[in-house]
């Protein structure tokens, strides 16, 4: 099991950047694929990005490809999401998630995350 705590959210103008962080507890972090999801008001939670346990493979939703970068530091038990060229439609609560049972590779089940953080609010003003 792993506990996840996000930080780094806030208010930013359109075109700006933010870096989200996710601190993971426990000794299993390096074994898990990790991901970021988001949920806007009145909408379902949606996949944003995922990274394999080694960090060697990354996957992105089409809506953020080329603007967001997911990364991890297994030595520090940390997951990151660098968000550039932010748009008002990126406004949402962002969640860190761990895939304990899903291998992150081609065709993986993006909705298969097992553990979740509490979320951090990102607001992009126009």
């Amino acid at each position: 099991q792993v506990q996840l705590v996000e930080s780094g959210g806030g208010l930013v103008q359109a075109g700006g950047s933010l870096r989200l962080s996710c601190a993971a507890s426990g000794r299993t972090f390096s074994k898990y694929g990790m991901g970021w999801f988001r949920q806007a008001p009145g909408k379902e939670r949606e996949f944003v990005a995922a990274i394999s346990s080694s960090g060697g493979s990354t996957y992105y939703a089409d809506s953020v490809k080329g603007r967001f970068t997911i990364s991890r530091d297994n030595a520090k038990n940390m997951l990151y999401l660098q968000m550039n060229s932010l748009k008002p439609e990126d406004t949402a609560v962002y969640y860190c998630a761990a895939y304990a049972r899903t291998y992150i590779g081609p065709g993986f089940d993006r909705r298969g995350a097992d553990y979740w953080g509490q979320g951090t609010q990102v607001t992009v003003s126009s």
Side-chain angles (χ1 to χ4, degrees):
Q1 196 168 354
V2 62
Q3 284 76 48
L4 305 170
V5 179
E6 303 94 336
S7 61
L11 174 64
V12 64
Q13 289 188 331
S17 298
L18 278 177
R19 188 194 196 201
L20 304 184
S21 298
C22 174
S25 66
R27 293 176 288 182
T28 54
F29 177 77
S30 63
K31 300 180 181 179
Y32 293 163
M34 297 295 296
W36 289 98
F37 289 74
R38 67 186 182 186
Q39 187 168 19
K43 295 187 177 181
E44 293 187 353
R45 189 175 299 186
E46 65 174 359
F47 170 84
V48 174
I51 187 168
S52 61
S53 57
S54 68
S57 297
T58 56
Y59 298 85
Y60 298 92
D62 288 343
S63 58
V64 307
K65 201 172 295 183
R67 299 187 299 121
F68 291 10
T69 302
I70 188 171
S71 62
R72 66 189 297 163
D73 185 336
N74 285 345
K76 296 181 178 179
N77 277 16
M78 293 294 295
L79 177 73
Y80 305 101
L81 185 68
Q82 178 66 43
M83 306 186 294
N84 298 329
S85 302
L86 283 161
K87 305 175 181 180
E89 51 263 43
D90 294 319
T91 295
V93 177
Y94 283 71
Y95 297 90
C96 170
Y99 292 86
R101 299 171 295 160
T102 301
Y103 173 74
I104 306 301
F108 77 99
D109 181 3
R110 296 181 170 191
R111 298 168 298 177
D114 299 285
Y115 302 108
W116 300 86
Q118 83 289 347
T120 185
Q121 176 70 47
V122 172
T123 303
V124 184
S125 63
S126 57

